[in-house]
Amino acid sequence: MVPHLVTALTGPINELEQRILDGMPAIERWFRLEWMEHTPPFYTAVDVRNAGFKLAPVDANFFPGGWNYLTTEMLPLAVQAAQAAIEKICPEARNLLVIPENRGRNTSYMANVAQLVRIFQMAGLNVRVGSIDPAVKSPKKVDLPDGSTVCLEPVVRTKRRLGLKNFDPCTILLNTDLAAGTPGILEDLHEQYLLPPLHAGWSVRRKSNHLHSYEEVSKRFGKLLGIDPWLIQSIYARAEGVDLARGKGVEGLTAAVDQVLTKVRRKYKEYGINEKPFVIVKSENGASSLPISTIRDVKELEALTKKPRQKAMAGATTDDAGPTDVIVQEGVLTRERVHDGMAEPVVYMMDRYVVGGFYRVHPDRGADESLALPGASFVPLAFSQSGHLPQPGAKPGASAPNRFYMYGVIGRLAMVAASYELEATNPEAEVYE
């Protein structure tokens, strides 16, 4: 099925597409050299927004949970990437243990786990699914809508290894983002490979580290192509110690919002863009309960802070757990629509390879709002012809493979930034004075 995609096919995005297509040999060499120096995350999903005048990633996930939205046609790429990734990490690997989120009753999520099992089985591994949920005390089969099942088994921890009864894996794949903290059962596994590493989990990861790394990557890539890095990145600022329920840190948040909006207005004026700039306010820490908010004017901050403060004054329980550090990120419009809903592409990668993706579609959200909310649906990226390779001679905007190649380039740039981020935050890395 090919999604009915309505997107901006004229204007600056086509110039960017042409630059990327013309620079393809240099781009692929650039990525090749990056991966000689840096290790990509084991798997990554990147949310991309196409504003019609810029194309930028807005989020990167190191524990992607939507593998079931990849089409059957995409699976061979995923299997090849899985083989390459495993061979590099543990060439003699035989047994793989997948640790999922504690969401056994969510059949959509468990279908994602089933797809991961399928991919790694086809890559030549014995794959089992181990639950770290204390409530899972014996093997439990989860029935899925397509008629398949996933068997959740309780993990068994020995002094230095983690496995299942009569199953000793050399590699453990985490498909849980560790937002609630790092369970002790996953620590000190010195004789097994744990992928991704624990410091990739949201209990310790900070979004500003990724944005800082991506800023560095986009500047270098922009220089390679001779483009303004702003066309492939979003401006951001950070505000510390924000507690909306108690009105603390609001001055710093206001200053950060004003700073980003001012810079974006300047860019819009430079490029003759007749749109209203906006920012997305979200927590530094992916584990925080702070809601994602769209702010178009500093005055709107008053409404954002008013509700939690009123709850606190009334003695009602708020979702706020105290002061948190906040990211104010330039909002990137989406000009893509699928089935009459606002859409954004999500690029799925394993090791260094783009293996597929899908559109996140939300019928009730605007072009300047987050689509990663309840009510979203997922439509696989698809092609109107069998050739999935980019076509450099095609007119910009006229070829789906060209557009999807461009999405893949942006996704891989975010993946390079992710490798920088994980290296910089690795607690076990050697520090040289």
Side-chain angles (χ1 to χ4, degrees):
M1 181 192 69
V2 179
H4 176 62
L5 179 65
V6 181
T7 185
L9 297 179
T10 58
I13 201 71
N14 286 336
E15 184 181 336
L16 177 61
E17 182 178 309
Q18 193 65 61
R19 288 284 185 97
I20 287 176
L21 292 171
D22 291 345
M24 194 185 300
I27 289 170
E28 295 305 323
R29 178 178 181 273
W30 187 87
F31 278 121
R32 192 165 63 246
L33 294 176
E34 283 296 316
W35 298 132
M36 289 175 67
E37 298 290 331
H38 305 281
T39 302
F42 187 79
Y43 53 9
T44 317
V46 175
D47 298 352
V48 179
R49 301 274 283 209
N50 176 3
F53 51 86
K54 71 183 290 180
L55 185 74
V58 293
D59 204 9
N61 183 358
F62 296 163
F63 304 88
W67 291 93
N68 51 313
Y69 301 123
L70 270 60
T71 62
T72 303
E73 291 77 16
M74 296 174 188
L75 289 188
L77 287 174
V79 171
Q80 289 177 336
Q83 288 173 327
I86 291 292
E87 284 169 13
K88 191 164 59 178
I89 294 161
C90 183
E92 69 278 10
R94 183 175 299 169
N95 295 337
L96 175 74
L97 179 64
V98 177
I99 304 286
E101 298 272 7
N102 295 338
R103 291 197 281 164
R105 293 183 180 179
N106 185 323
T107 54
S108 176
Y109 172 74
M110 293 309 294
N112 148 78
V113 175
Q115 184 85 300
L116 278 173
V117 170
R118 198 173 298 123
I119 289 168
F120 287 100
Q121 282 177 338
M122 289 191 286
L125 294 168
N126 300 314
V127 187
R128 304 266 285 272
V129 182
S131 175
I132 57 175
D133 184 349
V136 178
K137 301 183 185 301
S138 60
K140 173 188 174 185
K141 284 192 175 182
V142 179
D143 295 321
L144 301 178
D146 65 357
S148 63
T149 61
V150 174
C151 184
L152 284 173
E153 301 179 67
V155 296
V156 177
R157 173 70 192 245
T158 58
K159 186 176 180 182
R160 298 177 69 79
R161 296 183 75 82
L162 186 68
L164 305 175
K165 185 179 180 181
N166 301 321
F167 186 77
D168 186 26
C170 77
T171 306
I172 298 166
L173 178 64
L174 296 178
N175 195 242
T176 170
D177 63 12
L178 306 176
T182 304
I185 198 169
L186 297 177
E187 295 179 331
D188 302 318
L189 298 175
H190 299 299
E191 297 175 1
Q192 290 172 303
Y193 295 96
L194 189 64
L195 306 168
L198 293 178
H199 69 279
W202 272 128
S203 56
V204 292
R205 190 181 169 213
R206 296 295 177 265
K207 291 177 181 176
S208 59
N209 290 329
H210 181 79
L211 291 168
H212 174 76
S213 295
Y214 188 83
E215 187 174 37
E216 180 185 342
V217 168
S218 61
K219 284 178 181 176
R220 291 178 49 234
F221 188 79
K223 190 174 182 181
L224 173 75
L225 285 192
I227 62 170
D228 181 351
W230 177 73
L231 295 173
I232 55 171
Q233 72 170 110
S234 52
I235 297 165
Y236 74 97
R238 187 170 175 269
E240 297 181 352
V242 177
D243 187 341
L244 298 181
R246 295 160 190 82
K248 294 181 180 177
V250 176
E251 297 83 0
L253 177 58
T254 302
V257 169
D258 188 49
Q259 175 189 336
V260 174
L261 284 174
T262 299
K263 288 181 178 179
V264 177
R265 286 190 194 103
R266 200 174 295 141
K267 280 294 181 183
Y268 278 20
K269 186 176 180 181
E270 178 185 339
Y271 284 91
I273 297 164
N274 189 26
E275 298 285 353
K276 187 174 180 64
F278 67 101
V279 297
I280 300 295
V281 175
K282 51 190 175 183
S283 173
E284 257 272 54
N285 175 359
S288 171
S289 60
L290 183 75
I292 297 173
S293 303
T294 298
I295 301 293
R296 303 166 189 85
D297 191 286
V298 173
K299 294 175 184 175
E300 294 179 17
L301 278 176
E302 186 176 343
L304 182 67
T305 60
K306 192 175 182 181
K307 194 171 181 180
R309 219 179 301 176
Q310 286 175 337
K311 276 188 177 182
M313 288 173 66
T317 302
T318 69
D319 295 330
D320 190 81
T324 185
D325 295 338
V326 169
I327 290 293
V328 177
Q329 187 175 354
E330 173 193 349
V332 181
L333 291 165
T334 179
R335 289 302 182 200
E336 313 234 45
R337 294 180 70 90
V338 174
H339 305 323
D340 296 324
M342 286 297 171
E344 62 189 11
V346 183
V347 180
Y348 266 56
M349 293 162 287
M350 190 173 290
D351 193 60
R352 67 183 69 181
Y353 307 104
V354 176
V355 297
F358 51 83
Y359 287 103
R360 180 186 288 114
V361 184
H362 206 300
D364 302 320
R365 305 295 287 176
D368 61 354
E369 294 179 300
S370 171
L371 307 184
L373 291 166
S377 59
F378 306 93
V379 179
L381 288 171
F383 300 90
S384 55
Q385 60 267 20
S386 60
H388 289 207
L389 294 174
Q391 302 164 332
K395 184 180 178 182
S399 165
N402 285 357
R403 182 56 49 88
F404 295 159
Y405 174 74
M406 189 163 66
Y407 294 160
V409 167
I410 299 300
R412 285 186 288 165
L413 288 176
M415 187 164 55
V416 172
S419 71
Y420 288 13
E421 175 193 354
L422 290 176
E423 287 168 13
T425 57
N426 184 358
E428 297 178 7
E430 293 185 34
V431 179
Y432 297 96
E433 295 295 336

